[in-house]
Amino acid sequence: MDVYATPPKSSKSMESTEDTDEKKLTRLLSLDKNASSQIFTRFRSPSRATLGNALDHLLKLDLPNCNLNEKSLPKDLHEQLPNLTTLFFLKNNFTIYPSQLSLCTKLSMISFKHNKITTIKTIGKNIRWLILTDNRIEQLPEDVGECGGLQKLMLSNNLLTEFPSSIRKCSSLELVRVSCNLLTRPPMQLLSLPNLRWLACAGNPFLSKLSVHFDDVASDLISVNSTPTTPGKILGSGASGKIYQRKISGRDVAVKIYEKGVKVTSDGRALDEFRGQLFAGRLGLEHVVKCFGTCYGEGEKVEDGQSPAIPDLILELLENYTPLASPPSMTTCTRDVYSPTKYLLPSTINKYIEAMAETMHRFSNVGLAHGDFYSHNILVSEEGDIKLTDFGASFFYDTQSEYGRLIQYIEFRSFKIWCLEIMSLCEFDKADAWESQSHEDMQDFNVLLASINSRIRADTFHGNPFNEVYPFLYKCKPENFRTYPKLLRLLIGYSTATLFTMSFLALAVLPVFLHPFFWRTFGMRMFSTGVLACYGVSYMLKPREWPAFRRLAQTWYELFDFQANLSAHARKIAIKEGQSERKYIMCMHPHGIIPLQAMVWSAYCDQYFSDPITGDTLYGFGAAADVVKYLPFIKNIMGWLSAGSANYDVLKRGLDEGIAEQCNVNNNRKPRHLFLLPGGVAEVFESTVGHNAIVFKNRRGLVKLAIETGSDLLPCYVFGGTDFYHNIATGTGILSRISRKMKAGVTIFYGWFFLPLPFLPKVTLCVADPIRVEKVEGEIPKELIESIHKEYIEAIKELFEKYKVKAGYPDAVLDVK
C-alpha cells in the first residue's frame, strides 16, 4: 500500500537552521511502498520511537518542489534510513551533490532532475540509476569509475566538457543521456564501453557540423504545408509535445505539436527530435512513421520570414497500432516490460526482425542514430505491420569517423538486445512445418548476432555491423543428407560438381577413345568399347526429369556456402500465389561458363519451394539450347533437371497448356512455371572470375513471352556464378562467333591446377519481387514491351546493389549488355 506524507508548505521553515534532524526527516517522508502499518497517515509530530521504527522500513523518498538543498539532509542519513533504495528530488535547490548519499549502501536510484547542482565530489559505489538532468555540472568525479553496477546515467542539459578517464571502468553502463552539454570532442572513453546500448548526445559542439544531414533532406519541407491547423483528437503525448489527429488537404494525418517553452527533456532538445523525425520520415522506409511535411498551429503567424523555432510536424496516421511492450520499470531499469501473455510465432518474429534490421541498416549508413531503440517505441498492428517511432534521443553523426564506428556498435547492441527479447516471446508449440523453418532461420540469426558481438568485443570488427545483418540471407541446409558426416557431404559434392563439369567435355573427349592407341590391347579395347557404349546409350535415352538427381546438388550447399535471400514466410507466399493465382518465369543470371549454379538452383527450388504441409510446389520446366539434345550426357543431365528445348513455341505451349515432354513423361504432371537462364550463350563469353555481367539489353523475346502467357517475371541473380572457372575465350573472338552459329557455348576454361576442377566461391541466390505481367490478347503494344523490359533491368540492378555487400562482393559492378 502506498503511504504518503505531506511536505511542509513554508519555504522559510524548511531552511531554518534550528530544525532538528527529526523534523528534517519528517519532511523527507513522502512515499513508503513497503510500510506494514498505517502510521504514516498522520505523522505531523510523531514520537521519536514511532518515527524511528517507521524509518527502518522506508524504501523510497519522492520530494518534488520542496525547496530543499544540501543542508536539508542530515549527515547520518544512512543511519536514519538504512533501507532506502530510491531517492527523488525533482525541482529543488541543490547546488552540491550530497556526499552523505555515498554512505547509503542500499541506495540504487537517485534523481536530482531540474536542480542547480554544480559540484559532485563523490557518487557512491552502489548506484544503479543516476538522474542529473538539467543542472549545471561541469565535471564528474573520478570515483564514477567505482560505480560498477551503474546501468543508467542521465546527464542532459549540463555543462560537461569531457568525461573522466575512469568512466571506462563502468562496464555495466547501458544507457547514457548526455545531450546538450559542451562536449567539443567525442567522448571516446564513454563510447568505448563494452555494454553501452542506448546513447543520446545531440546538441553537443562536436556534432554541430552534422546539421547538413538534416538540411540537405528536409530544407524543402519546412514551408511545404503552411496552412494553420488546430488540434483535433489527441492521440498521445510525450515530454516534448502532444500528437493530435487532424485532416489536412482531405487526408487524415497525425500532427505532432511541440510544447512551446520546452527546452530540454531527459533525451535532449525538442528541436533535435524534430530534425530526427523529419529526416527519418523522408527516407522512404516502410517501417518508419512517414513524414509528410510541416505546418504552423493556429495563432502562430509567420511574419517577415520569421517562423516558430519548431513547426508542427505532419505524420502518417497509425490506427489500431499498439506498442510492442511497456517502457522499463524501476526494477528492470534498462529493459522493457512485456505482457506475460505476449507470444509471437517464429514467422512473425522473423518478419519484425527483418523490418527493423532494414530500418537500422539504413540509419547506420546515412549517419542517423535512433538512440532509444526499444520495443515501447515500436508499434505493431493486428495485421502484422510494424513501425518505429519516437526520435527524441536521435542525433546525426559522421559515419566515416572513429567515433561514428563506435556509435554504430552501440546501436547494434540495442538492436541485438531487442532481437533477443522478442525471440524470447517465441511460441513454438503451435508451430507448423513452415513455422519450424522460420524457427530454424531465427536460431541461425541468433548465432550470427552472437558472432558479430563477439568480434566487436574482441576489437576484431571494423565495419558497420548492420551490413553483416541486413539484407537478410538464409543458409540452405541439405535436408536429404543431414545424417551424412559433413566430410562425406563435401566429398560427394565436389566429386559430383567435377563430374557435372566433365559432362560438358564429353564430345571433346570422344576422339580420345576412338584413337587407335586406345585399341592396341584387349583391355584397352574393352574399356574403350564400354565408354563408347555409354555414349550410345546416353544418346538413345529420352530426356526425362529425375528429382532424385536434382536433390544430389544439396551436397553442394556447404561446398559453396550457399545462401538465399527468401525467408520461409516469403517462400510460403510465393507458393500460395504461384499455385492459385500467378504463373512465374524465373530468370537466373548469369549463365556462367559451366552453370553449376543452375544445379544448385534446381535443388533449392525442389527443397525450399515445396509446401511441407500441402505438398504444393512451384512445379515447372526448364529450357536449354536446342543443340543440347544432340549432345550425349549433357542431354540426359538437362532432362534430369527438367530442361527441354528453348524454342519460343515450346516455351509458350508449356506455360499455356502445361506440356513439357521431359516433365510429362514420368507421371503426366503439368508444369505451371518456367525456369531458364535468359543470358544464354552470350553470357558464357562474359563470364570469368570477378566479372559480373548479364546480357539482356537487346532481348525482348522473354518479355513478349511473359505478356502472351500472362506470366510474372521473377528476376534472380547468383553471386559467385561466374567464379567457378577462369575463361580464356571472352568477348567477341572466333570461338564466340562459332558458338553463336552453333547456339552452344564453345570456350576454353580452367579451374584448380589448370584442370576442370571448380573453384569454391561463395554462392548466393537472390530473388527479386515479381514483376507483374498481365496477359494481352492480340497485338502487343511496343510501349508495353519496352516498359516491362526496362523494369526488368532496373529490378536486376536494384537486386544486385542491395545484396552485393552481404554476398561478399562490396566493390562489384554489374555490367548490363
Side-chain angles (χ1 to χ4, degrees):
M1 178 179 178
D2 292 348
V3 185
Y4 294 86
T6 306
K9 297 181 180 179
S10 171
S11 61
K12 282 187 177 182
S13 64
M14 296 198 66
E15 299 199 11
S16 172
T17 57
E18 298 179 359
D19 282 353
T20 64
D21 284 351
E22 180 179 328
K23 290 183 179 180
K24 291 179 181 177
L25 290 171
T26 300
R27 286 198 302 273
L28 289 176
L29 294 174
S30 173
L31 176 62
D32 176 19
K33 293 196 172 188
N34 291 288
S36 58
S37 66
Q38 301 294 319
I39 62 172
F40 294 132
T41 56
R42 295 182 182 180
F43 73 108
R44 279 293 178 184
S45 300
S47 66
R48 185 177 294 276
T50 303
L51 181 61
N53 181 59
L55 296 182
D56 287 342
H57 296 86
L58 191 66
L59 298 181
K60 177 180 177 182
L61 288 179
D62 185 5
L63 296 168
N65 293 292
C66 291
N67 205 25
L68 298 174
N69 57 37
E70 53 274 12
K71 296 180 181 180
S72 303
L73 298 183
K75 295 181 180 180
D76 60 347
L77 181 66
H78 62 288
E79 295 179 359
Q80 299 288 348
L81 302 176
N83 292 307
L84 187 65
T85 62
T86 307
L87 191 60
F88 286 162
F89 288 126
L90 175 67
K91 294 184 179 179
N92 280 281
N93 293 321
F94 286 89
T95 59
I96 298 175
Y97 183 91
S99 299
Q100 57 265 48
L101 297 184
S102 63
L103 301 176
C104 298
T105 57
K106 294 187 178 180
L107 191 58
S108 63
M109 182 176 181
I110 299 176
S111 173
F112 284 95
K113 189 175 182 180
H114 302 309
N115 277 260
K116 303 171 184 178
I117 296 176
T118 59
T119 306
I120 304 177
K121 294 181 179 179
T122 183
I123 292 178
K125 297 181 180 181
N126 301 311
I127 304 302
R128 184 186 182 199
W129 190 337
L130 181 60
I131 303 174
L132 298 171
T133 305
D134 196 16
N135 282 277
R136 302 168 185 172
I137 303 168
E138 297 181 3
Q139 188 175 6
L140 292 178
E142 278 293 332
D143 76 344
V144 69
E146 298 178 10
C147 302
L150 185 62
Q151 284 184 248
K152 204 165 187 175
L153 182 59
M154 316 290 278
L155 293 166
S156 293
N157 202 29
N158 279 283
L159 304 175
L160 293 171
T161 56
E162 62 180 359
F163 278 83
S165 58
S166 62
I167 194 74
R168 66 185 61 180
K169 298 179 182 178
C170 297
S171 58
S172 298
L173 195 56
E174 294 185 338
L175 186 147
V176 174
R177 297 291 184 248
V178 68
S179 300
C180 302
N181 277 268
L182 302 177
L183 300 173
T184 57
R185 295 179 299 177
M188 301 301 286
Q189 303 99 322
L190 176 69
L191 301 181
S192 301
L193 290 175
N195 290 307
L196 187 58
R197 295 179 172 92
W198 298 276
L199 172 70
C201 59
N204 280 284
F206 80 93
L207 293 176
S208 60
K209 296 180 181 179
L210 275 302
S211 61
V212 66
H213 278 284
F214 168 76
D215 296 335
D216 288 348
V217 174
S219 59
D220 61 324
L221 288 173
I222 298 303
S223 59
V224 166
N225 302 284
S226 57
T227 304
T229 63
T230 56
K233 174 185 175 183
I234 188 168
L235 300 175
S237 62
S240 60
K242 296 180 180 179
I243 302 176
Y244 298 87
Q245 181 175 345
R246 291 288 298 150
K247 187 180 288 290
I248 297 179
S249 302
R251 172 192 286 178
D252 288 322
V253 296
V255 177
K256 175 70 178 283
I257 299 179
Y258 292 89
E259 296 287 348
K260 305 304 179 276
V262 175
K263 294 182 178 179
V264 180
T265 67
S266 295
D267 292 334
R269 296 180 302 181
L271 178 61
D272 292 311
E273 176 186 349
F274 170 81
R275 287 180 167 181
Q277 178 71 76
L278 186 57
F279 182 87
R282 299 297 294 183
L283 288 177
L285 291 167
E286 181 182 357
H287 303 290
V288 174
V289 177
K290 293 180 176 61
C291 179
F292 301 125
T294 61
C295 60
Y296 302 109
E298 188 175 24
E300 293 180 336
K301 297 181 179 180
V302 181
E303 299 177 357
D304 300 326
Q306 300 296 318
S307 62
I310 308 178
D312 301 337
L313 203 55
I314 305 173
L315 303 171
E316 172 186 9
L317 178 62
L318 301 179
E319 297 183 286
N320 302 318
Y321 279 76
T322 57
L324 194 54
S326 299
S329 66
M330 291 185 182
T331 303
T332 62
C333 189
T334 58
R335 297 292 188 274
D336 274 341
V337 178
Y338 293 85
S339 167
T341 60
K342 183 74 173 179
Y343 295 103
L344 299 173
L345 289 173
S347 60
T348 303
I349 293 173
N350 282 5
K351 181 179 179 181
Y352 286 173
I353 289 176
E354 188 163 358
M356 290 299 100
E358 178 185 9
T359 301
M360 297 298 283
H361 173 262
R362 183 68 181 280
F363 286 176
S364 68
N365 280 294
V366 298
L368 173 65
H370 186 272
D372 204 19
F373 188 77
Y374 274 107
S375 282
H376 69 265
N377 290 327
I378 295 174
L379 304 179
V380 295
S381 68
E382 294 181 357
E383 292 75 24
D385 293 331
I386 181 170
K387 298 282 186 178
L388 178 62
T389 64
D390 195 346
F391 287 80
S394 64
F395 60 94
F396 301 107
Y397 64 93
D398 182 1
T399 58
Q400 302 302 314
S401 66
E402 179 64 17
Y403 84 86
R405 180 174 67 92
L406 296 178
I407 289 173
Q408 289 173 341
Y409 293 173
I410 293 168
E411 290 281 279
F412 171 76
R413 292 189 199 107
S414 67
F415 173 76
K416 177 176 179 286
I417 287 294
W418 176 78
C419 290
L420 295 178
E421 286 180 351
I422 66 167
M423 284 180 189
S424 69
L425 304 176
C426 180
E427 188 178 52
F428 189 62
D429 294 340
K430 299 179 181 179
D432 57 22
W434 277 114
E435 295 297 338
S436 296
Q437 292 186 22
S438 292
H439 187 263
E440 194 169 289
D441 291 340
M442 189 173 71
Q443 299 308 312
D444 289 342
F445 181 69
N446 192 13
V447 172
L448 174 63
L449 290 178
S451 170
I452 298 171
N453 196 58
S454 64
R455 283 185 286 155
I456 289 176
R457 282 181 171 274
D459 199 27
T460 59
F461 191 91
H462 301 288
N464 180 352
F466 287 102
N467 288 341
E468 298 286 307
V469 173
Y470 186 84
F472 274 65
L473 293 176
Y474 300 91
K475 283 187 176 295
C476 300
K477 300 174 182 179
E479 180 179 301
N480 295 92
F481 297 89
R482 284 193 178 187
T483 57
Y484 289 43
K486 183 176 181 178
L487 180 59
L488 181 58
R489 292 198 299 265
L490 293 175
L491 288 174
I492 294 174
Y494 197 79
S495 299
T496 52
T498 303
L499 290 173
F500 182 78
T501 300
M502 293 300 295
S503 65
F504 283 82
L505 303 176
L507 277 184
V509 175
L510 180 60
V512 173
F513 297 103
L514 295 175
H515 194 277
F517 174 82
F518 273 84
W519 296 81
R520 289 190 304 172
T521 65
F522 177 77
M524 296 177 73
R525 285 195 293 272
M526 292 298 294
F527 176 75
S528 298
T529 301
V531 171
L532 293 175
C534 291
Y535 273 80
V537 172
S538 170
Y539 188 79
M540 290 186 292
L541 287 175
K542 284 187 175 182
R544 62 175 62 191
E545 67 171 347
W546 187 13
F549 176 78
R550 297 199 294 261
R551 286 195 292 271
L552 190 63
Q554 290 181 19
T555 59
W556 299 11
Y557 290 171
E558 293 162 307
L559 194 68
F560 300 121
D561 193 17
F562 184 58
Q563 300 180 92
N565 70 324
L566 294 184
S567 66
H569 181 68
R571 297 194 303 268
K572 183 178 181 180
I573 294 174
I575 291 173
K576 179 180 178 181
E577 293 184 352
Q579 287 301 101
S580 60
E581 303 172 14
R582 314 297 302 177
K583 287 186 291 189
Y584 295 127
I585 300 178
M586 300 189 189
C587 314
M588 188 181 72
H589 300 273
H591 184 287
I593 306 167
I594 304 297
L596 296 178
Q597 70 274 22
M599 183 80 170
V600 186
W601 185 35
S602 299
Y604 173 82
C605 290
D606 280 347
Q607 179 179 344
Y608 286 100
F609 279 120
S610 178
D611 193 321
I613 302 173
T614 64
D616 290 340
T617 181
L618 291 185
Y619 184 64
F621 66 106
D626 284 344
V627 72
V628 166
K629 63 184 177 182
Y630 303 111
L631 303 177
F633 303 119
I634 293 294
K635 154 189 170 179
N636 306 107
I637 291 176
M638 292 297 105
W640 295 341
L641 296 176
S642 78
S645 172
N647 180 274
Y648 187 91
D649 293 331
V650 172
L651 300 183
K652 186 174 184 298
R653 186 183 182 196
L655 287 168
D656 282 339
E657 304 175 28
I659 296 177
E661 181 183 0
Q662 67 278 12
C663 296
N664 304 143
V665 70
N666 279 346
N667 48 23
N668 203 34
R669 293 178 68 189
K670 290 190 175 182
R672 182 180 178 85
H673 312 283
L674 172 62
F675 301 77
L676 79 165
L677 283 69
V681 173
E683 274 185 5
V684 172
F685 293 92
E686 298 295 337
S687 299
T688 191
V689 174
H691 185 211
N692 295 273
I694 68 170
V695 178
F696 200 79
K697 188 175 288 185
N698 297 316
R699 299 195 171 195
R700 291 165 177 77
L702 183 65
V703 175
K704 182 180 177 184
L705 176 66
I707 297 173
E708 288 184 347
T709 58
S711 303
D712 293 344
L713 291 170
L714 202 62
C716 308
Y717 192 88
V718 181
F719 290 93
T722 61
D723 294 346
F724 298 112
Y725 296 100
H726 284 292
N727 195 358
I728 294 178
T730 59
T732 57
I734 185 170
L735 288 179
S736 174
R737 293 195 292 272
I738 293 173
S739 297
R740 293 179 192 279
K741 290 289 184 181
M742 296 176 58
K743 295 185 178 181
V746 179
T747 185
I748 302 172
F749 64 92
Y750 65 89
W752 291 113
F753 310 113
F754 297 94
L755 297 172
L757 300 174
F759 299 122
L760 301 177
K762 179 180 179 181
V763 177
T764 305
L765 169 64
C766 297
V767 183
D769 292 331
I771 297 174
R772 296 297 189 187
V773 180
E774 299 301 331
K775 188 173 183 177
V776 175
E777 302 288 350
E779 186 176 356
I780 302 173
K782 290 183 179 180
E783 295 80 8
L784 178 60
I785 294 177
E786 290 299 323
S787 174
I788 296 176
H789 181 264
K790 181 179 179 181
E791 185 178 358
Y792 181 94
I793 292 178
E794 290 302 317
I796 281 286
K797 288 180 177 178
E798 183 179 340
L799 186 71
F800 183 88
E801 292 299 323
K802 180 178 180 179
Y803 287 97
K804 68 178 186 179
V805 174
K806 191 67 183 296
Y809 295 81
D811 301 320
V813 177
L814 180 63
D815 188 7
V816 180
K817 297 187 175 183

